[in-house]
Amino acid sequence: MRLLFAGTPAFAATALQALIDAGHEVVLVLTQPDRPAGRGLKLVASDVKILAQKHILTVEQPLTLKTDAARDLIAAAVNNGAEAMIVAAYGLILPPAILALPRLGCLNIHASLLPRWRGAAPIQRAILAGDAETGITIMQMDAGLDTGAMLARRAIPIGETETAGELHDRLAALGGEMIVETLRSLPSPVAQDAVRATYAAKLTKEEALIDWEESAIEISRRVRAYNPFPGAAATLNGERIKLWRAAVTDHQPLEPGTVCNSAPGELIIACGQGALKVLELQRAGGKRLPTATLLKGFPIPRGACFSTPGGEPPA
């Protein structure tokens, strides 16, 4: 089948590769403009652009799709035989004039079990909420935010220690597999139950600062959900520390944020309920390290106190 494809990050690139491997002809790839990144702020191409160029596909990077020029670009691809547009984590709104162009419409690969977690950060929100499962929904796009009818939907369990990055990779692979299957069978669309809808708001760096008054279970979910971005953070003696892996444990009740180690090479921090055993962490400007390795050069004694958001360590 001849297709258009719109996507930007690695999640979308996985789907594009699956479509190419399945023998589909991608006549046009849309992706976000190159963005400055790194210390030198050099322009960096998206994962989708890099993959598309590898396969010598036509790539366009409009700033918006709400112009006559963008519509004409997509209309030309449709006139060239493109029957559907596949969309995955593109980052631009598709106006109704664009949605109506392909004969089979625009199909979105969404990383949740719609109608749960419509919006920008469904993977992280599922972990934060303690969901037991998530999945992929292939959706026929309409003018709403992830409100279109569903063509396919498949669930997978969320591992008890799984990070957002690990879950992302599993869902990306599933999304690629499912879009190929959907294009092969073209199932009948099923309307979403709007009453059951929840919204997955975009992540902010501010929300990743740990509140030690929360339970160890809630904080461990934050550590998992914000790995790899933006990283769950706490403050120790004025220094920002990022926690990358942690486990819930029991310990003697102490003021939340207080270090309550009981063995060398470990870091256990009291929470509002229970305690958090930190397994991997990072100092400002340093590397991610296993706790025992970091503590060799940066000891954190029993009784030390991590700050709560915007406040001072507990007295």
Side-chain angles (χ1 to χ4, degrees), residues 39 226-228 230-236 239-245 267 278-291 294-295 298 300 306:
R39 293 186 178 180
Y226 301 138
N227 182 352
T235 304
L236 178 65
E239 180 178 350
R240 181 68 60 92
I241 307 289
K242 286 195 174 183
L243 278 58
W244 293 112
R245 291 188 183 272
L267 178 60
V278 182
L279 304 176
E280 184 181 20
L281 68 168
Q282 179 182 16
R283 295 183 67 187
K287 297 180 180 180
R288 292 172 56 158
L289 294 171
T291 297
L294 184 138
L295 290 178
F298 183 65
I300 302 176
F306 283 83

Side-chain angles (χ1 to χ4, degrees), residues 125 201-211 222 226 228-234 240-242 309:
R125 298 300 173 193
K202 184 178 179 180
L203 297 180
T204 66
K205 291 183 179 180
E206 290 74 20
E207 69 179 285
L209 190 58
I210 294 171
D211 181 354
R222 291 188 180 277
Y226 301 138
F229 176 85
R240 181 68 60 92
I241 307 289
K242 286 195 174 183

Side-chain angles (χ1 to χ4, degrees), residues 163-308:
T163 67
E166 293 164 345
L167 183 55
H168 165 281
D169 291 349
R170 288 207 296 139
L171 287 170
L174 179 61
E177 177 185 326
M178 287 179 63
I179 191 60
V180 170
E181 293 175 357
T182 300
L183 289 172
R184 186 183 302 126
S185 60
L186 293 176
S188 299
V190 176
Q192 296 186 39
D193 180 359
V195 175
R196 295 173 49 235
T198 57
Y199 178 62
K202 184 178 179 180
L203 297 180
T204 66
K205 291 183 179 180
E206 290 74 20
E207 69 179 285
L209 190 58
I210 294 171
D211 181 354
W212 295 102
E213 296 286 348
E214 292 186 329
S215 71
I217 292 175
E218 291 172 308
I219 295 174
S220 70
R221 290 173 185 165
R222 291 188 180 277
V223 173
R224 293 163 51 214
Y226 301 138
N227 182 352
F229 176 85
T235 304
L236 178 65
N237 297 327
E239 180 178 350
R240 181 68 60 92
I241 307 289
K242 286 195 174 183
L243 278 58
W244 293 112
R245 291 188 183 272
V248 176
T249 187
D250 292 322
H251 214 275
Q252 65 190 74
L254 293 171
E255 286 293 324
T258 304
V259 175
C260 45
N261 301 337
S262 59
E266 71 177 12
L267 178 60
I268 297 176
I269 307 171
C271 305
Q273 182 177 348
L276 195 73
K277 183 174 183 178
V278 182
L279 304 176
E280 184 181 20
L281 68 168
Q282 179 182 16
R283 295 183 67 187
K287 297 180 180 180
R288 292 172 56 158
L289 294 171
T291 297
T293 302
L294 184 138
L295 290 178
K296 289 178 180 178
F298 183 65
I300 302 176
R302 180 183 175 90
C305 293
F306 283 83
S307 298
T308 53

Side-chain angles (χ1 to χ4, degrees), residues 46-243:
S46 71
D47 292 276
V48 163
K49 181 179 179 179
I50 293 169
L51 178 63
Q53 290 179 329
K54 175 183 175 182
H55 289 280
I56 319 178
L57 302 176
T58 301
V59 178
E60 295 288 348
Q61 298 173 273
L63 292 172
T64 177
L65 296 183
K66 298 179 180 180
T67 64
D68 290 342
R71 187 188 183 283
D72 291 345
L73 179 69
I74 294 169
V78 171
N79 292 335
N80 193 30
E83 297 184 84
M85 180 187 288
I86 309 304
V87 182
Y90 180 30
L92 290 182
I93 295 173
L94 275 64
I98 298 292
L99 295 171
L101 286 174
R103 181 179 68 87
L104 297 175
C106 300
L107 279 59
N108 180 252
I109 307 169
H110 187 76
S112 82
L113 297 174
L114 291 173
R116 187 164 179 79
W117 301 129
R118 296 172 176 173
I123 296 174
Q124 295 86 349
R125 298 300 173 193
I127 292 175
L128 287 170
D131 291 358
E133 64 178 14
T134 185
I136 290 288
T137 303
I138 307 296
M139 176 191 66
Q140 188 87 53
M141 296 179 71
D142 61 16
L145 176 64
D146 299 328
T147 56
M150 302 176 292
L151 298 172
R153 192 169 177 269
R154 189 177 303 168
I156 60 172
I158 299 175
E160 290 186 4
T161 63
E162 193 167 24
T163 67
E166 293 164 345
L167 183 55
H168 165 281
D169 291 349
R170 288 207 296 139
L171 287 170
L174 179 61
E177 177 185 326
M178 287 179 63
I179 191 60
V180 170
E181 293 175 357
T182 300
L183 289 172
R184 186 183 302 126
S185 60
L186 293 176
S188 299
V190 176
Q192 296 186 39
D193 180 359
V195 175
R196 295 173 49 235
T198 57
Y199 178 62
K202 184 178 179 180
L203 297 180
T204 66
K205 291 183 179 180
E206 290 74 20
E207 69 179 285
L209 190 58
I210 294 171
D211 181 354
W212 295 102
E213 296 286 348
E214 292 186 329
S215 71
I217 292 175
E218 291 172 308
I219 295 174
S220 70
R221 290 173 185 165
R222 291 188 180 277
V223 173
R224 293 163 51 214
Y226 301 138
N227 182 352
F229 176 85
T235 304
L236 178 65
N237 297 327
E239 180 178 350
R240 181 68 60 92
I241 307 289
K242 286 195 174 183
L243 278 58

